[in-house]
Amino acid sequence: MAAPIIRRALLYVPGSSKKMLDKSRGLNVDTIAYDLEDSVTPNKKVEARQNLRHLLQQPRAAGIREQAVRINSVESGLALADLQEVLHSPNLDALVLPKCNSASDLHFLTDVLRQTLPTRHPSTPSSASSTDHPPIRLIALIESAKAIQNLPSICAASPYLSGLIFAAEDFALDLSITRTPSLHEFLYARSAIATAARAANLASTIDLVCTAYSGVQGLKTLEEECLNGKGMGFNGKQAIHPSQVEVCQRVFSPGEAELEWAVRVVVADEKAAEAGRGAWTLDGKMIDAPVVGKAKAVVGRAESCGIDVETVREKWKGQEPE
């Protein structure tokens, strides 16, 4: 069984900077999105593609869970050239598609994947792709009012789609609104994205970039944004500087108190089930099936994040349903 996809932090690295590309291989991060789009000027696109093809032919870096490339948008006319350069790289795990405004953008990518790497991307359900080289995953950037209106069809557009990302700055440009520290102006769009991704059972909902990253106050702002996004249903955040990664990955992992509560619920529920009790209490609060389901999800995510769950289970092995 394939390991669950965890993208607590998705860090962008410019494809045109060999220095930054080399440095990135020493990071510990869930997903790196090597960028061919916004951070690369038009006269550097060809060089950046070649840089990424060389980079993704190297042995995998130990600390990076997923290596992705953010290509240029389909509407830019540059996407096909990007794909032709990077798709044959053996260590490419995912593609980030910017300005995904409709299902047709993902249809284009899906067709190119199937034509270029047919054994890795079967066109019929009965075809089996190699377990050594699973299909390249797609992550769509939602950046416009049109994209928000098309979320249901976007989420259903490709079997390879595994996540949505909210691009706040481009969305603000499209709607002629100004970003404020409260982020209230993005409430509808962010809620729509988180809800649509969950309804489609996508692995990732990745929240907006925090533009503050320098100093103590910058990291505090980042943490506040992460907690806000987590509370809305996002399970990861975009990062534009390596200093942001630790905060993102810590906040979007189950916290110590959260995990202890979840383990207590799971352990006590196992005993309640043996006694034929469908509902019981813990710390004076009723525990029923939805609460147990949430607790099990927290425990599962903690395990996927590499947290030592067994030690916590051992600590609370005596927990009884009240």
Side-chain angles (χ1 to χ4, degrees), residues 253-292:
S253 300
E256 183 178 348
E258 183 182 13
L259 178 58
E260 291 218 350
W261 168 84
V263 167
R264 290 177 66 201
V265 170
V266 169
V267 170
D269 184 66
E270 291 168 353
K271 297 176 182 179
E274 291 177 0
R277 296 169 60 184
W280 42 280
T281 60
L282 181 68
D283 298 337
K285 297 180 180 179
M286 189 185 78
I287 306 296
D288 57 7
V291 178
V292 173

PDB file of all heavy atoms in Angstrom, residues 253-292:
ATOM      1  N   SER A 253       1.059  19.303  11.766  1.00  0.00           N
ATOM      2  CA  SER A 253       1.129  17.982  12.380  1.00  0.00           C
ATOM      3  C   SER A 253       0.247  18.005  13.625  1.00  0.00           C
ATOM      4  O   SER A 253       0.032  19.070  14.214  1.00  0.00           O
ATOM      5  CB  SER A 253       2.564  17.646  12.801  1.00  0.00           C
ATOM      6  OG  SER A 253       3.444  17.641  11.716  1.00  0.00           O
ATOM      7  N   PRO A 254      -0.271  16.866  14.067  1.00  0.00           N
ATOM      8  CA  PRO A 254      -1.005  16.857  15.332  1.00  0.00           C
ATOM      9  C   PRO A 254      -0.105  17.315  16.469  1.00  0.00           C
ATOM     10  O   PRO A 254       1.037  16.854  16.599  1.00  0.00           O
ATOM     11  CB  PRO A 254      -1.409  15.385  15.493  1.00  0.00           C
ATOM     12  CG  PRO A 254      -1.429  14.846  14.099  1.00  0.00           C
ATOM     13  CD  PRO A 254      -0.302  15.555  13.396  1.00  0.00           C
ATOM     14  N   GLY A 255      -0.601  18.219  17.306  1.00  0.00           N
ATOM     15  CA  GLY A 255       0.154  18.674  18.465  1.00  0.00           C
ATOM     16  C   GLY A 255       0.147  17.626  19.562  1.00  0.00           C
ATOM     17  O   GLY A 255      -0.614  16.652  19.524  1.00  0.00           O
ATOM     18  N   GLU A 256       0.978  17.840  20.566  1.00  0.00           N
ATOM     19  CA  GLU A 256       1.107  16.861  21.654  1.00  0.00           C
ATOM     20  C   GLU A 256      -0.214  16.632  22.373  1.00  0.00           C
ATOM     21  O   GLU A 256      -0.632  15.486  22.593  1.00  0.00           O
ATOM     22  CB  GLU A 256       2.178  17.343  22.646  1.00  0.00           C
ATOM     23  CG  GLU A 256       2.436  16.363  23.784  1.00  0.00           C
ATOM     24  CD  GLU A 256       3.540  16.841  24.718  1.00  0.00           C
ATOM     25  OE1 GLU A 256       4.249  17.811  24.365  1.00  0.00           O
ATOM     26  OE2 GLU A 256       3.689  16.254  25.811  1.00  0.00           O
ATOM     27  N   ALA A 257      -0.889  17.711  22.742  1.00  0.00           N
ATOM     28  CA  ALA A 257      -2.164  17.575  23.453  1.00  0.00           C
ATOM     29  C   ALA A 257      -3.222  16.956  22.551  1.00  0.00           C
ATOM     30  O   ALA A 257      -4.039  16.123  23.002  1.00  0.00           O
ATOM     31  CB  ALA A 257      -2.628  18.941  23.952  1.00  0.00           C
ATOM     32  N   GLU A 258      -3.233  17.350  21.277  1.00  0.00           N
ATOM     33  CA  GLU A 258      -4.195  16.811  20.319  1.00  0.00           C
ATOM     34  C   GLU A 258      -4.013  15.310  20.146  1.00  0.00           C
ATOM     35  O   GLU A 258      -4.984  14.534  20.128  1.00  0.00           O
ATOM     36  CB  GLU A 258      -4.016  17.523  18.972  1.00  0.00           C
ATOM     37  CG  GLU A 258      -5.005  17.113  17.889  1.00  0.00           C
ATOM     38  CD  GLU A 258      -4.739  17.825  16.577  1.00  0.00           C
ATOM     39  OE1 GLU A 258      -3.668  18.442  16.407  1.00  0.00           O
ATOM     40  OE2 GLU A 258      -5.622  17.746  15.692  1.00  0.00           O
ATOM     41  N   LEU A 259      -2.743  14.873  20.056  1.00  0.00           N
ATOM     42  CA  LEU A 259      -2.475  13.452  19.872  1.00  0.00           C
ATOM     43  C   LEU A 259      -2.823  12.655  21.127  1.00  0.00           C
ATOM     44  O   LEU A 259      -3.388  11.559  21.039  1.00  0.00           O
ATOM     45  CB  LEU A 259      -1.009  13.240  19.498  1.00  0.00           C
ATOM     46  CG  LEU A 259      -0.575  11.780  19.321  1.00  0.00           C
ATOM     47  CD1 LEU A 259      -1.412  11.089  18.253  1.00  0.00           C
ATOM     48  CD2 LEU A 259       0.909  11.698  18.974  1.00  0.00           C
ATOM     49  N   GLU A 260      -2.513  13.199  22.296  1.00  0.00           N
ATOM     50  CA  GLU A 260      -2.832  12.478  23.535  1.00  0.00           C
ATOM     51  C   GLU A 260      -4.342  12.288  23.673  1.00  0.00           C
ATOM     52  O   GLU A 260      -4.812  11.211  24.039  1.00  0.00           O
ATOM     53  CB  GLU A 260      -2.271  13.227  24.743  1.00  0.00           C
ATOM     54  CG  GLU A 260      -0.742  13.193  24.805  1.00  0.00           C
ATOM     55  CD  GLU A 260      -0.224  13.044  26.218  1.00  0.00           C
ATOM     56  OE1 GLU A 260      -1.013  13.158  27.177  1.00  0.00           O
ATOM     57  OE2 GLU A 260       0.987  12.771  26.366  1.00  0.00           O
ATOM     58  N   TRP A 261      -5.107  13.337  23.365  1.00  0.00           N
ATOM     59  CA  TRP A 261      -6.571  13.202  23.402  1.00  0.00           C
ATOM     60  C   TRP A 261      -7.023  12.119  22.439  1.00  0.00           C
ATOM     61  O   TRP A 261      -7.858  11.259  22.791  1.00  0.00           O
ATOM     62  CB  TRP A 261      -7.219  14.537  23.034  1.00  0.00           C
ATOM     63  CG  TRP A 261      -8.700  14.413  22.762  1.00  0.00           C
ATOM     64  CD1 TRP A 261      -9.701  14.423  23.678  1.00  0.00           C
ATOM     65  CD2 TRP A 261      -9.320  14.206  21.481  1.00  0.00           C
ATOM     66  NE1 TRP A 261     -10.914  14.248  23.050  1.00  0.00           N
ATOM     67  CE2 TRP A 261     -10.709  14.110  21.702  1.00  0.00           C
ATOM     68  CE3 TRP A 261      -8.841  14.099  20.180  1.00  0.00           C
ATOM     69  CZ2 TRP A 261     -11.624  13.920  20.674  1.00  0.00           C
ATOM     70  CZ3 TRP A 261      -9.740  13.913  19.153  1.00  0.00           C
ATOM     71  CH2 TRP A 261     -11.116  13.823  19.399  1.00  0.00           C
ATOM     72  N   ALA A 262      -6.481  12.131  21.216  1.00  0.00           N
ATOM     73  CA  ALA A 262      -6.911  11.161  20.202  1.00  0.00           C
ATOM     74  C   ALA A 262      -6.569   9.738  20.621  1.00  0.00           C
ATOM     75  O   ALA A 262      -7.386   8.822  20.461  1.00  0.00           O
ATOM     76  CB  ALA A 262      -6.253  11.496  18.856  1.00  0.00           C
ATOM     77  N   VAL A 263      -5.390   9.539  21.162  1.00  0.00           N
ATOM     78  CA  VAL A 263      -4.992   8.200  21.595  1.00  0.00           C
ATOM     79  C   VAL A 263      -5.869   7.727  22.745  1.00  0.00           C
ATOM     80  O   VAL A 263      -6.306   6.561  22.781  1.00  0.00           O
ATOM     81  CB  VAL A 263      -3.502   8.183  22.003  1.00  0.00           C
ATOM     82  CG1 VAL A 263      -3.156   6.897  22.745  1.00  0.00           C
ATOM     83  CG2 VAL A 263      -2.612   8.339  20.770  1.00  0.00           C
ATOM     84  N   ARG A 264      -6.165   8.605  23.678  1.00  0.00           N
ATOM     85  CA  ARG A 264      -7.047   8.230  24.791  1.00  0.00           C
ATOM     86  C   ARG A 264      -8.412   7.789  24.270  1.00  0.00           C
ATOM     87  O   ARG A 264      -8.983   6.791  24.744  1.00  0.00           O
ATOM     88  CB  ARG A 264      -7.209   9.412  25.744  1.00  0.00           C
ATOM     89  CG  ARG A 264      -5.962   9.757  26.537  1.00  0.00           C
ATOM     90  CD  ARG A 264      -6.204  10.975  27.398  1.00  0.00           C
ATOM     91  NE  ARG A 264      -7.192  10.689  28.433  1.00  0.00           N
ATOM     92  CZ  ARG A 264      -7.898  11.625  29.076  1.00  0.00           C
ATOM     93  NH1 ARG A 264      -7.759  12.906  28.751  1.00  0.00           N
ATOM     94  NH2 ARG A 264      -8.760  11.282  30.013  1.00  0.00           N
ATOM     95  N   VAL A 265      -8.937   8.523  23.297  1.00  0.00           N
ATOM     96  CA  VAL A 265     -10.242   8.167  22.723  1.00  0.00           C
ATOM     97  C   VAL A 265     -10.168   6.813  22.029  1.00  0.00           C
ATOM     98  O   VAL A 265     -11.040   5.951  22.219  1.00  0.00           O
ATOM     99  CB  VAL A 265     -10.719   9.252  21.732  1.00  0.00           C
ATOM    100  CG1 VAL A 265     -11.950   8.769  20.958  1.00  0.00           C
ATOM    101  CG2 VAL A 265     -11.034  10.543  22.466  1.00  0.00           C
ATOM    102  N   VAL A 266      -9.123   6.601  21.225  1.00  0.00           N
ATOM    103  CA  VAL A 266      -9.001   5.348  20.481  1.00  0.00           C
ATOM    104  C   VAL A 266      -8.849   4.157  21.425  1.00  0.00           C
ATOM    105  O   VAL A 266      -9.499   3.115  21.255  1.00  0.00           O
ATOM    106  CB  VAL A 266      -7.805   5.426  19.505  1.00  0.00           C
ATOM    107  CG1 VAL A 266      -7.504   4.046  18.920  1.00  0.00           C
ATOM    108  CG2 VAL A 266      -8.098   6.420  18.386  1.00  0.00           C
ATOM    109  N   VAL A 267      -7.998   4.300  22.446  1.00  0.00           N
ATOM    110  CA  VAL A 267      -7.781   3.203  23.398  1.00  0.00           C
ATOM    111  C   VAL A 267      -9.064   2.894  24.170  1.00  0.00           C
ATOM    112  O   VAL A 267      -9.467   1.723  24.301  1.00  0.00           O
ATOM    113  CB  VAL A 267      -6.644   3.558  24.376  1.00  0.00           C
ATOM    114  CG1 VAL A 267      -6.575   2.534  25.521  1.00  0.00           C
ATOM    115  CG2 VAL A 267      -5.305   3.614  23.641  1.00  0.00           C
ATOM    116  N   ALA A 268      -9.722   3.924  24.657  1.00  0.00           N
ATOM    117  CA  ALA A 268     -10.960   3.708  25.418  1.00  0.00           C
ATOM    118  C   ALA A 268     -12.070   3.156  24.531  1.00  0.00           C
ATOM    119  O   ALA A 268     -12.868   2.323  24.977  1.00  0.00           O
ATOM    120  CB  ALA A 268     -11.400   5.018  26.067  1.00  0.00           C
ATOM    121  N   ASP A 269     -12.119   3.584  23.282  1.00  0.00           N
ATOM    122  CA  ASP A 269     -13.161   3.092  22.381  1.00  0.00           C
ATOM    123  C   ASP A 269     -12.980   1.610  22.083  1.00  0.00           C
ATOM    124  O   ASP A 269     -13.978   0.885  21.934  1.00  0.00           O
ATOM    125  CB  ASP A 269     -13.146   3.888  21.075  1.00  0.00           C
ATOM    126  CG  ASP A 269     -14.275   3.481  20.151  1.00  0.00           C
ATOM    127  OD1 ASP A 269     -15.442   3.714  20.515  1.00  0.00           O
ATOM    128  OD2 ASP A 269     -13.987   2.914  19.081  1.00  0.00           O
ATOM    129  N   GLU A 270     -11.752   1.158  21.982  1.00  0.00           N
ATOM    130  CA  GLU A 270     -11.511  -0.272  21.771  1.00  0.00           C
ATOM    131  C   GLU A 270     -12.097  -1.086  22.924  1.00  0.00           C
ATOM    132  O   GLU A 270     -12.706  -2.146  22.718  1.00  0.00           O
ATOM    133  CB  GLU A 270     -10.006  -0.534  21.641  1.00  0.00           C
ATOM    134  CG  GLU A 270      -9.401   0.035  20.351  1.00  0.00           C
ATOM    135  CD  GLU A 270      -7.887   0.037  20.358  1.00  0.00           C
ATOM    136  OE1 GLU A 270      -7.293  -0.286  21.419  1.00  0.00           O
ATOM    137  OE2 GLU A 270      -7.278   0.389  19.320  1.00  0.00           O
ATOM    138  N   LYS A 271     -11.969  -0.575  24.133  1.00  0.00           N
ATOM    139  CA  LYS A 271     -12.523  -1.267  25.306  1.00  0.00           C
ATOM    140  C   LYS A 271     -14.043  -1.131  25.356  1.00  0.00           C
ATOM    141  O   LYS A 271     -14.748  -2.078  25.732  1.00  0.00           O
ATOM    142  CB  LYS A 271     -11.879  -0.709  26.573  1.00  0.00           C
ATOM    143  CG  LYS A 271     -10.376  -0.955  26.627  1.00  0.00           C
ATOM    144  CD  LYS A 271      -9.736  -0.304  27.842  1.00  0.00           C
ATOM    145  CE  LYS A 271      -8.225  -0.535  27.823  1.00  0.00           C
ATOM    146  NZ  LYS A 271      -7.545   0.100  28.972  1.00  0.00           N
ATOM    147  N   ALA A 272     -14.546   0.030  24.952  1.00  0.00           N
ATOM    148  CA  ALA A 272     -16.000   0.224  24.922  1.00  0.00           C
ATOM    149  C   ALA A 272     -16.642  -0.704  23.901  1.00  0.00           C
ATOM    150  O   ALA A 272     -17.724  -1.267  24.140  1.00  0.00           O
ATOM    151  CB  ALA A 272     -16.332   1.677  24.601  1.00  0.00           C
ATOM    152  N   ALA A 273     -15.981  -0.873  22.750  1.00  0.00           N
ATOM    153  CA  ALA A 273     -16.512  -1.752  21.712  1.00  0.00           C
ATOM    154  C   ALA A 273     -16.582  -3.192  22.208  1.00  0.00           C
ATOM    155  O   ALA A 273     -17.554  -3.911  21.929  1.00  0.00           O
ATOM    156  CB  ALA A 273     -15.655  -1.653  20.454  1.00  0.00           C
ATOM    157  N   GLU A 274     -15.568  -3.609  22.950  1.00  0.00           N
ATOM    158  CA  GLU A 274     -15.574  -4.976  23.496  1.00  0.00           C
ATOM    159  C   GLU A 274     -16.732  -5.179  24.465  1.00  0.00           C
ATOM    160  O   GLU A 274     -17.269  -6.285  24.590  1.00  0.00           O
ATOM    161  CB  GLU A 274     -14.250  -5.251  24.198  1.00  0.00           C
ATOM    162  CG  GLU A 274     -13.053  -5.360  23.255  1.00  0.00           C
ATOM    163  CD  GLU A 274     -11.743  -5.553  24.003  1.00  0.00           C
ATOM    164  OE1 GLU A 274     -11.787  -5.600  25.261  1.00  0.00           O
ATOM    165  OE2 GLU A 274     -10.689  -5.656  23.337  1.00  0.00           O
ATOM    166  N   ALA A 275     -17.112  -4.099  25.138  1.00  0.00           N
ATOM    167  CA  ALA A 275     -18.211  -4.178  26.101  1.00  0.00           C
ATOM    168  C   ALA A 275     -19.563  -3.884  25.454  1.00  0.00           C
ATOM    169  O   ALA A 275     -20.591  -3.878  26.142  1.00  0.00           O
ATOM    170  CB  ALA A 275     -17.960  -3.190  27.241  1.00  0.00           C
ATOM    171  N   GLY A 276     -19.556  -3.628  24.137  1.00  0.00           N
ATOM    172  CA  GLY A 276     -20.802  -3.375  23.427  1.00  0.00           C
ATOM    173  C   GLY A 276     -21.391  -2.005  23.669  1.00  0.00           C
ATOM    174  O   GLY A 276     -22.597  -1.796  23.520  1.00  0.00           O
ATOM    175  N   ARG A 277     -20.535  -1.043  23.981  1.00  0.00           N
ATOM    176  CA  ARG A 277     -21.007   0.319  24.254  1.00  0.00           C
ATOM    177  C   ARG A 277     -20.724   1.206  23.044  1.00  0.00           C
ATOM    178  O   ARG A 277     -19.574   1.415  22.667  1.00  0.00           O
ATOM    179  CB  ARG A 277     -20.319   0.886  25.498  1.00  0.00           C
ATOM    180  CG  ARG A 277     -20.656   0.115  26.765  1.00  0.00           C
ATOM    181  CD  ARG A 277     -19.760   0.539  27.922  1.00  0.00           C
ATOM    182  NE  ARG A 277     -19.892   1.969  28.234  1.00  0.00           N
ATOM    183  CZ  ARG A 277     -19.150   2.587  29.148  1.00  0.00           C
ATOM    184  NH1 ARG A 277     -18.218   1.905  29.811  1.00  0.00           N
ATOM    185  NH2 ARG A 277     -19.325   3.879  29.378  1.00  0.00           N
ATOM    186  N   GLY A 278     -21.772   1.768  22.461  1.00  0.00           N
ATOM    187  CA  GLY A 278     -21.607   2.603  21.283  1.00  0.00           C
ATOM    188  C   GLY A 278     -21.319   4.047  21.606  1.00  0.00           C
ATOM    189  O   GLY A 278     -20.783   4.783  20.786  1.00  0.00           O
ATOM    190  N   ALA A 279     -21.702   4.482  22.809  1.00  0.00           N
ATOM    191  CA  ALA A 279     -21.444   5.854  23.243  1.00  0.00           C
ATOM    192  C   ALA A 279     -21.022   5.821  24.701  1.00  0.00           C
ATOM    193  O   ALA A 279     -21.526   5.010  25.486  1.00  0.00           O
ATOM    194  CB  ALA A 279     -22.682   6.722  23.054  1.00  0.00           C
ATOM    195  N   TRP A 280     -20.096   6.688  25.063  1.00  0.00           N
ATOM    196  CA  TRP A 280     -19.560   6.712  26.421  1.00  0.00           C
ATOM    197  C   TRP A 280     -19.014   8.109  26.670  1.00  0.00           C
ATOM    198  O   TRP A 280     -19.194   8.999  25.850  1.00  0.00           O
ATOM    199  CB  TRP A 280     -18.484   5.641  26.605  1.00  0.00           C
ATOM    200  CG  TRP A 280     -17.529   5.533  25.440  1.00  0.00           C
ATOM    201  CD1 TRP A 280     -17.757   4.880  24.259  1.00  0.00           C
ATOM    202  CD2 TRP A 280     -16.236   6.124  25.326  1.00  0.00           C
ATOM    203  NE1 TRP A 280     -16.680   5.027  23.409  1.00  0.00           N
ATOM    204  CE2 TRP A 280     -15.721   5.775  24.043  1.00  0.00           C
ATOM    205  CE3 TRP A 280     -15.442   6.898  26.158  1.00  0.00           C
ATOM    206  CZ2 TRP A 280     -14.475   6.190  23.593  1.00  0.00           C
ATOM    207  CZ3 TRP A 280     -14.188   7.298  25.736  1.00  0.00           C
ATOM    208  CH2 TRP A 280     -13.722   6.941  24.459  1.00  0.00           C
ATOM    209  N   THR A 281     -18.372   8.315  27.788  1.00  0.00           N
ATOM    210  CA  THR A 281     -17.858   9.652  28.082  1.00  0.00           C
ATOM    211  C   THR A 281     -16.369   9.608  28.396  1.00  0.00           C
ATOM    212  O   THR A 281     -15.832   8.586  28.832  1.00  0.00           O
ATOM    213  CB  THR A 281     -18.597  10.301  29.270  1.00  0.00           C
ATOM    214  OG1 THR A 281     -18.413   9.483  30.432  1.00  0.00           O
ATOM    215  CG2 THR A 281     -20.076  10.464  28.975  1.00  0.00           C
ATOM    216  N   LEU A 282     -15.725  10.748  28.170  1.00  0.00           N
ATOM    217  CA  LEU A 282     -14.316  10.928  28.518  1.00  0.00           C
ATOM    218  C   LEU A 282     -14.164  12.360  29.015  1.00  0.00           C
ATOM    219  O   LEU A 282     -14.559  13.302  28.319  1.00  0.00           O
ATOM    220  CB  LEU A 282     -13.418  10.697  27.301  1.00  0.00           C
ATOM    221  CG  LEU A 282     -11.914  10.833  27.544  1.00  0.00           C
ATOM    222  CD1 LEU A 282     -11.418   9.701  28.448  1.00  0.00           C
ATOM    223  CD2 LEU A 282     -11.149  10.810  26.224  1.00  0.00           C
ATOM    224  N   ASP A 283     -13.636  12.500  30.203  1.00  0.00           N
ATOM    225  CA  ASP A 283     -13.502  13.824  30.832  1.00  0.00           C
ATOM    226  C   ASP A 283     -14.831  14.557  30.876  1.00  0.00           C
ATOM    227  O   ASP A 283     -14.913  15.776  30.687  1.00  0.00           O
ATOM    228  CB  ASP A 283     -12.469  14.677  30.085  1.00  0.00           C
ATOM    229  CG  ASP A 283     -11.075  14.060  30.104  1.00  0.00           C
ATOM    230  OD1 ASP A 283     -10.797  13.258  31.015  1.00  0.00           O
ATOM    231  OD2 ASP A 283     -10.280  14.379  29.199  1.00  0.00           O
ATOM    232  N   GLY A 284     -15.903  13.788  31.085  1.00  0.00           N
ATOM    233  CA  GLY A 284     -17.224  14.380  31.213  1.00  0.00           C
ATOM    234  C   GLY A 284     -17.903  14.742  29.915  1.00  0.00           C
ATOM    235  O   GLY A 284     -18.982  15.330  29.925  1.00  0.00           O
ATOM    236  N   LYS A 285     -17.290  14.400  28.773  1.00  0.00           N
ATOM    237  CA  LYS A 285     -17.867  14.720  27.470  1.00  0.00           C
ATOM    238  C   LYS A 285     -18.241  13.440  26.738  1.00  0.00           C
ATOM    239  O   LYS A 285     -17.498  12.451  26.785  1.00  0.00           O
ATOM    240  CB  LYS A 285     -16.885  15.535  26.636  1.00  0.00           C
ATOM    241  CG  LYS A 285     -16.542  16.881  27.246  1.00  0.00           C
ATOM    242  CD  LYS A 285     -15.557  17.639  26.383  1.00  0.00           C
ATOM    243  CE  LYS A 285     -15.209  18.994  27.012  1.00  0.00           C
ATOM    244  NZ  LYS A 285     -14.221  19.735  26.187  1.00  0.00           N
ATOM    245  N   MET A 286     -19.396  13.475  26.043  1.00  0.00           N
ATOM    246  CA  MET A 286     -19.855  12.288  25.342  1.00  0.00           C
ATOM    247  C   MET A 286     -18.955  11.988  24.140  1.00  0.00           C
ATOM    248  O   MET A 286     -18.579  12.883  23.385  1.00  0.00           O
ATOM    249  CB  MET A 286     -21.296  12.459  24.862  1.00  0.00           C
ATOM    250  CG  MET A 286     -21.889  11.169  24.307  1.00  0.00           C
ATOM    251  SD  MET A 286     -23.537  11.371  23.589  1.00  0.00           S
ATOM    252  CE  MET A 286     -23.137  12.085  22.006  1.00  0.00           C
ATOM    253  N   ILE A 287     -18.642  10.726  23.989  1.00  0.00           N
ATOM    254  CA  ILE A 287     -17.851  10.259  22.847  1.00  0.00           C
ATOM    255  C   ILE A 287     -18.723   9.311  22.036  1.00  0.00           C
ATOM    256  O   ILE A 287     -19.215   8.303  22.558  1.00  0.00           O
ATOM    257  CB  ILE A 287     -16.574   9.517  23.300  1.00  0.00           C
ATOM    258  CG1 ILE A 287     -15.754  10.380  24.263  1.00  0.00           C
ATOM    259  CG2 ILE A 287     -15.762   9.093  22.089  1.00  0.00           C
ATOM    260  CD1 ILE A 287     -15.202  11.652  23.668  1.00  0.00           C
ATOM    261  N   ASP A 288     -18.952   9.634  20.754  1.00  0.00           N
ATOM    262  CA  ASP A 288     -19.706   8.748  19.872  1.00  0.00           C
ATOM    263  C   ASP A 288     -18.925   8.555  18.576  1.00  0.00           C
ATOM    264  O   ASP A 288     -17.763   8.969  18.457  1.00  0.00           O
ATOM    265  CB  ASP A 288     -21.116   9.280  19.625  1.00  0.00           C
ATOM    266  CG  ASP A 288     -21.107  10.701  19.044  1.00  0.00           C
ATOM    267  OD1 ASP A 288     -20.012  11.205  18.708  1.00  0.00           O
ATOM    268  OD2 ASP A 288     -22.193  11.292  18.896  1.00  0.00           O
ATOM    269  N   ALA A 289     -19.559   7.927  17.588  1.00  0.00           N
ATOM    270  CA  ALA A 289     -18.847   7.522  16.373  1.00  0.00           C
ATOM    271  C   ALA A 289     -18.119   8.664  15.661  1.00  0.00           C
ATOM    272  O   ALA A 289     -16.957   8.498  15.260  1.00  0.00           O
ATOM    273  CB  ALA A 289     -19.814   6.817  15.420  1.00  0.00           C
ATOM    274  N   PRO A 290     -18.732   9.847  15.446  1.00  0.00           N
ATOM    275  CA  PRO A 290     -18.000  10.912  14.759  1.00  0.00           C
ATOM    276  C   PRO A 290     -16.747  11.368  15.516  1.00  0.00           C
ATOM    277  O   PRO A 290     -15.721  11.664  14.905  1.00  0.00           O
ATOM    278  CB  PRO A 290     -19.028  12.051  14.669  1.00  0.00           C
ATOM    279  CG  PRO A 290     -20.352  11.378  14.760  1.00  0.00           C
ATOM    280  CD  PRO A 290     -20.135  10.232  15.686  1.00  0.00           C
ATOM    281  N   VAL A 291     -16.827  11.403  16.839  1.00  0.00           N
ATOM    282  CA  VAL A 291     -15.676  11.818  17.641  1.00  0.00           C
ATOM    283  C   VAL A 291     -14.563  10.768  17.541  1.00  0.00           C
ATOM    284  O   VAL A 291     -13.381  11.100  17.408  1.00  0.00           O
ATOM    285  CB  VAL A 291     -16.088  12.036  19.112  1.00  0.00           C
ATOM    286  CG1 VAL A 291     -14.866  12.412  19.956  1.00  0.00           C
ATOM    287  CG2 VAL A 291     -17.149  13.112  19.212  1.00  0.00           C
ATOM    288  N   VAL A 292     -14.952   9.507  17.582  1.00  0.00           N
ATOM    289  CA  VAL A 292     -13.963   8.429  17.445  1.00  0.00           C
ATOM    290  C   VAL A 292     -13.316   8.481  16.067  1.00  0.00           C
ATOM    291  O   VAL A 292     -12.107   8.297  15.927  1.00  0.00           O
ATOM    292  CB  VAL A 292     -14.622   7.056  17.680  1.00  0.00           C
ATOM    293  CG1 VAL A 292     -13.632   5.929  17.380  1.00  0.00           C
ATOM    294  CG2 VAL A 292     -15.119   6.950  19.119  1.00  0.00           C
TER     295      VAL A 292
END
